[in-house]
């Protein structure tokens, strides 16, 4: 059974260069990284609002929107879920406080 995030990531990548008139993802790619990043920010805000004032179903829907747009941003940047997984593996077992302290200023 394939992971839905891997399937979604592949679908998003396949839409790069597609006709923006027929694909929302292609339209986002066409608008450029700044617009995609702005959309991720908007979706993150909607997640926060849903988390504090809406139903669990609303939060789930907003979280799905955020993950979707984050995958578009990663694809636009030439990154993948595997890159994120590798970073999470690198951080595994490291205190969040220690990990944050070790980041460049």
């Amino acid at each position: 059974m394939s992971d839905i995030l891997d399937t979604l990531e592949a679908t998003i990548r396949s839409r790069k260069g597609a006709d923006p008139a027929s694909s929302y993802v292609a339209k986002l790619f066409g608008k450029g990284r700044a617009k995609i990043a702005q959309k991720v920010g908007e979706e993150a805000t909607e997640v926060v609002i849903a988390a504090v004032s809406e139903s669990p179903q609303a939060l789930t829907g907003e979280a799905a929107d955020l993950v979707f747009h984050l995958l578009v941003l990663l694809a636009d940047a030439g990154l993948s879920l595997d890159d994120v997984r590798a970073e999470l593996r690198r951080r595994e077992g490291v205190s969040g406080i220690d990990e944050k302290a070790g980041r460049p200023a």
Side-chain angles (χ1 to χ4, degrees):
M1 181 163 95
S2 68
D3 181 86
I4 188 62
L5 292 178
D6 291 330
T7 301
L8 179 58
E9 181 179 49
T11 300
I12 288 168
R13 289 179 182 287
S14 76
R15 303 279 164 79
K16 208 167 190 181
D19 179 7
S22 65
S23 167
Y24 174 70
V25 172
K27 188 181 295 188
L28 283 173
F29 282 134
K31 290 181 178 182
R33 188 168 307 158
K35 182 63 178 172
I36 297 167
Q38 177 185 348
K39 190 66 180 165
V40 171
E42 291 169 6
E43 296 299 341
T45 299
E46 291 173 9
V47 165
V48 171
I49 292 167
V52 298
S53 65
E54 297 182 19
S55 69
Q57 294 82 8
L59 176 55
T60 301
E62 296 300 345
D65 291 346
L66 176 58
V67 169
F68 170 83
H69 286 90
L70 180 59
L71 288 174
V72 174
L73 181 60
L74 289 171
D76 188 72
L79 298 169
S80 69
L81 280 172
D82 285 341
D83 296 309
V84 175
R85 287 180 182 112
E87 177 61 15
L88 291 170
R89 275 189 215 92
R90 184 190 69 76
R91 294 179 184 188
E92 188 174 13
V94 177
S95 156
I97 294 169
D98 292 342
E99 191 282 327
K100 192 169 184 177
R103 293 181 194 173

